[in-house]
Amino acid sequence: MTTDEATRGGRPLVHAVNVHKSFHHVEVLKGIDLDVHPGEVVVLLGPSGSGKTTFLRCINQLETIDGGRIWVDGDLMGYEDRGGTLHRLGDKAIAAQRRDIGMVFQRFNLFPHKTALENVSEAPVQVKGVKKSEARQRALELLAQVGLADKPAAYPAQLSGGQQQRVAIARALAMDPKLMLFDEPTSALDPELVGEVLKVMRDLAAGGMTMIVVTHEMGFARDVADEVVFMDGGVVVEQGPPHEVIDNPKHARTRAFLSRMRQEEAAAGHAESAEALAQAATAPDPAE
Amino acid sequence: MSTTQVPDTTDRPGAIHARPVRHPGRWLAIAIIVIVLAMMVSSLVSNPRWDFPFMYRVMIYQPVIQGLLHGTILGTIGAMVLGIGLGIVIGIMRLSENPVLRGVSFAYTWFFRAIPRLVLLLLLGTGLGYLYPKFDIGYFPFSQQLADLLGFHADTTAFSIDVNAISSTLIMGILGLGLSEAAYMAEIARAGIQSVDRGQTEAAQALGMSRGKTMRRIVLPQAMRVIVPPTGNETIAMVKDTSLLFAGLSLIDELLFQTNTIGTRTLKIMPTMIAATAWYLIVCSVLMIGQFYLERYFGRGFGTKASKKQAKQVEAVTLREGAAAGGTGGM
């Protein structure tokens, strides 16, 4: 950690210390520490139930934490520290803290009663007070950026899973977030649609976006992540650059998990090959 | 497996022109219905006691039309506006994190759902005026009591309502029916809100929307899809419940009282009742048409069939904005 901070310098964008969270007396997070620096891509790996999704949801306060602190860009999330005493923030203040954090969900959660364009322009207009015409213009640009320039008037039900997830990414980007959280963004997709979503995420990472990604896509983690964090049983077991954690894991639990993942991938043979196919097939990005 | 002989032909099977399944039962049913209908029509035409010309004159008689427009239609609109508005508020309160609001909402629904509408109207029509002939609103709560206690001879009434003066008016009727309706609408609204996936709220919150905005912009529009059909039901029931207004409040500017009055005066009871029935059928038919369009509007994006006009609009927008996006994307 210290060497990392020394090399990168500057304040971490996300600074989580000793984060605890329980659901009905079951402790899901048992003291998570994590620093994410601006421009970094951190991939959270781990078996289901290891707490990685819960931790992600704690960062933008979809879950309230029971212990520890999370700072995003210097703001203490969910509380105000008045002379050593924490005061819970109200609904409006918490909403304001969430504005700068984009989130992409496993099940997309697009607004089904709004078109792709309306999904993307809704929050800038309603939350930031951006003029409607400007928000629409920006939404069209973002849809083009995720390769959906031809779908502004489509309702989510008329789009494939991969297209829906790309609209969801554009929707999050419309708020100009400092940080993007991805909660298993490709887990609900058919294998052949995974690649198009990962490509958008790769472009985003290449553009310097700070990202925390919960995923099982090893290829993405290996290629894109600056830091891989392996979680199990509510604690961080191992973390470091991908060539250490994925290719050369020190802990037995990490090794067991990775070999299980490799078996599954070999059996399904999906992610890598499908992604490669999609990349080969996709024409150059119009935004480039 | 048995070996089926594949016909020895080079032709591959083409389009299917098969004979449809026969439905003799349907033809039988149609025949029976046609006969029964013919019998009914013949009795309507041949029985002079129906007296349709008189019925028609009752239907378009000025006081009857007035009663229809005021008591029945205006009464329905007023009571439903009050019922839907108050009902949505009470339904949202029921789902609040605030236990006091939840409790108030529960108590309201319990109370007004338990009272028959006729009894409620009777209570408001006679009981309220007996208990509070004048309803005084002070400048602040307990202002008059406090002034009396402190020995001031002041009148702190800001304004007052003469309850007896309005106890037999449409205002009281709308109040009674609307308060009762709100209890039912609260449950309908609650069911609608709860039918919206939790992920919708989370997505809106993650974008930085406040709770109120999330409810108004994201949850309620989707809940409407579930709320509209039972609300149509409630509205149609309300049209019919306005016929309680005379029995409950002695309100005479109302359809059923007007037709009944003509009936008792002319001793042609049945044709006047049929006149009222016909009006109720017409009003409810119009409402059903309105409900169809409302359901289609709130069903947008949910795979319900869009109208041709909507489809055309979507197409036009796609073309226009696709071109615009192509332009900006190419920069």
Side-chain angles (χ1 to χ4, degrees):
Chain A
M1 288 304 280
T2 44
T3 53
D4 194 42
E5 242 165 65
T7 50
R8 293 199 168 260
R11 184 179 66 175
L13 183 64
V14 179
H15 181 50
V17 183
N18 198 26
V19 173
H20 281 77
K21 172 72 187 171
S22 301
F23 290 112
H24 309 292
H25 307 294
V26 179
E27 205 169 25
V28 184
L29 300 179
K30 301 171 182 167
I32 304 285
D33 296 323
L34 183 72
D35 279 4
V36 181
H37 291 86
E40 242 184 343
V41 177
V42 172
V43 167
L44 303 182
L45 289 180
S48 55
S50 60
K52 49 198 194 311
T53 288
T54 304
F55 178 65
L56 201 69
R57 291 164 58 86
C58 287
I59 294 175
N60 75 345
Q61 307 176 68
L62 289 180
E63 310 288 351
T64 47
I65 59 178
D66 302 325
R69 307 276 188 279
I70 300 175
W71 286 268
V72 175
D73 203 20
D75 281 342
L76 178 61
M77 300 307 279
Y79 301 91
E80 193 184 356
D81 194 338
R82 291 183 210 155
T85 315
L86 288 188
H87 293 258
R88 181 90 180 121
L89 290 177
D91 174 46
K92 291 256 157 64
I94 288 178
Q97 287 189 330
R98 288 184 178 126
R99 269 173 218 181
D100 299 331
I101 306 173
M103 184 151 189
V104 176
F105 298 86
Q106 183 178 1
R107 306 281 323 279
F108 327 137
N109 295 352
L110 287 181
F111 306 133
H113 60 306
K114 293 183 180 295
T115 62
L117 184 80
E118 290 166 348
N119 264 279
V120 180
S121 62
E122 173 76 7
V125 173
Q126 291 298 323
V127 178
K128 280 188 168 171
V130 176
K131 271 206 311 205
K132 243 182 180 169
S133 55
E134 278 172 36
R136 286 169 66 89
Q137 195 52 44
R138 173 99 174 99
L140 287 168
E141 287 168 24
L142 285 165
L143 286 175
Q145 187 186 329
V146 299
L148 293 170
D150 56 335
K151 297 285 184 192
Y155 282 101
Q158 297 163 331
L159 298 172
S160 74
Q163 290 171 331
Q164 287 188 53
Q165 192 62 298
R166 286 186 280 151
V167 173
I169 293 172
R171 177 176 70 174
L173 290 175
M175 291 295 284
D176 295 317
K178 297 176 200 148
L179 169 70
M180 286 284 284
L181 307 174
F182 290 87
D183 181 15
E184 304 205 25
T186 57
S187 300
L189 297 177
D190 288 339
E192 78 269 20
L193 301 177
V194 169
E196 64 188 50
V197 173
L198 289 183
K199 180 180 181 307
V200 169
M201 290 169 63
R202 281 171 193 272
D203 291 347
L204 214 52
M209 177 61 77
T210 313
M211 297 161 60
I212 305 179
V213 185
V214 174
T215 188
H216 291 295
E217 296 295 336
M218 288 301 165
F220 179 82
R222 190 182 280 117
D223 297 350
V224 181
D226 298 299
E227 181 108 338
V228 173
V229 177
F230 177 71
M231 287 175 66
D232 194 11
V235 294
V236 172
V237 175
E238 190 168 350
Q239 80 182 88
H243 62 85
E244 283 177 18
V245 178
I246 296 178
D247 299 330
N248 214 351
K250 292 186 191 68
H251 283 259
R253 277 197 281 180
T254 319
R255 278 200 291 273
F257 171 75
L258 288 171
S259 76
R260 208 160 57 240
M261 289 302 297
R262 281 199 192 97
Q263 279 167 16
E264 274 171 33
E265 252 174 43
H270 76 267
E272 296 286 60
S273 52
E275 196 185 330
L277 270 176
Q279 274 182 325
T282 323
D285 193 10
E288 281 169 12
Chain B
M1 293 298 276
S2 64
T3 50
T4 8
Q5 282 292 316
V6 179
D8 187 21
T9 167
T10 51
D11 283 349
R12 292 156 64 75
I16 294 172
H17 302 285
R19 301 282 160 109
V21 176
R22 304 270 173 224
H23 295 287
R26 284 186 197 171
W27 292 106
L28 187 67
I30 289 171
I32 292 172
I33 288 166
V34 165
I35 292 168
V36 171
L37 271 178
M39 286 161 72
M40 282 164 75
V41 169
S42 121
S43 92
L44 288 180
V45 175
S46 60
N47 186 346
R49 291 192 182 184
W50 281 103
D51 203 349
F52 287 111
F54 183 72
M55 180 207 86
Y56 179 69
R57 268 168 51 213
V58 170
M59 275 181 79
I60 58 165
Y61 184 52
Q62 182 61 25
V64 170
I65 297 276
Q66 283 246 321
L68 171 78
L69 291 177
H70 292 168
T72 307
I73 292 178
L74 202 61
T76 302
I77 293 171
M80 286 313 290
V81 167
L82 177 62
I84 292 171
L86 191 61
I88 288 179
V89 171
I90 291 169
I92 292 173
M93 278 166 65
R94 190 70 187 278
L95 298 168
S96 163
E97 284 175 11
N98 183 337
V100 178
L101 292 184
R102 276 207 308 273
V104 169
S105 166
F106 174 81
Y108 184 96
T109 310
W110 163 75
F111 184 78
F112 280 99
R113 231 170 26 164
I115 306 179
R117 282 193 179 157
L118 181 57
V119 176
L120 181 64
L121 289 174
L122 285 167
L123 284 172
L124 288 174
T126 37
L128 201 62
Y130 167 74
L131 291 172
Y132 304 100
K134 259 182 82 205
F135 202 71
D136 294 334
I137 310 285
Y139 289 110
F140 53 89
F142 295 108
S143 54
Q144 194 63 57
Q145 283 90 333
L146 207 64
D148 292 348
L149 196 72
L150 297 175
F152 295 123
H153 295 286
D155 182 12
T156 65
T157 309
F159 66 97
S160 64
I161 300 165
D162 185 350
V163 175
N164 280 324
I166 61 160
S167 67
S168 293
T169 63
L170 189 57
I171 292 174
M172 192 62 93
I174 287 174
L175 192 69
L177 293 174
L179 288 177
S180 168
E181 184 57 40
Y184 293 90
M185 282 308 304
E187 291 293 285
I188 291 171
R190 181 168 71 103
I193 291 165
Q194 283 179 326
S195 76
V196 178
D197 181 33
R198 172 102 194 106
Q200 293 292 310
T201 307
E202 290 187 348
Q205 285 181 338
L207 288 166
M209 286 196 200
S210 65
R211 242 180 248 150
K213 211 151 236 176
T214 302
M215 183 57 80
R216 278 196 310 279
R217 298 286 310 175
I218 304 302
V219 176
L220 273 183
Q222 291 181 62
M224 289 308 281
R225 202 169 60 97
V226 174
I227 291 174
V228 167
T231 303
N233 236 3
E234 291 292 315
T235 310
I236 285 168
M238 183 60 77
V239 172
K240 296 178 291 179
D241 282 354
T242 56
S243 61
L244 298 171
L245 287 175
F246 174 70
L249 298 175
S250 314
L251 178 77
I252 56 169
D253 197 8
E254 179 266 317
L255 176 63
L256 186 66
F257 175 79
Q258 292 298 333
T259 54
N260 272 354
T261 309
I262 300 169
T264 46
R265 235 172 23 221
T266 59
L267 296 179
K268 291 185 176 179
I269 307 282
M270 194 59 192
T272 56
M273 282 183 178
I274 299 296
T277 306
W279 269 126
Y280 284 123
L281 283 173
I282 291 168
V283 171
C284 288
S285 306
V286 171
L287 285 174
M288 281 170 69
I289 295 167
Q291 185 180 353
F292 168 79
Y293 284 103
L294 265 182
E295 279 181 28
R296 197 170 64 179
Y297 175 75
F298 285 111
R300 71 196 188 283
F302 283 92
T304 37
K305 254 165 101 187
S307 68
K308 270 185 190 160
K309 193 175 142 209
Q310 265 179 335
K312 257 190 199 153
Q313 276 173 349
V314 167
E315 205 176 303
V317 170
T318 314
L319 287 174
R320 182 152 33 88
E321 286 171 354
T328 56
M331 289 199 301

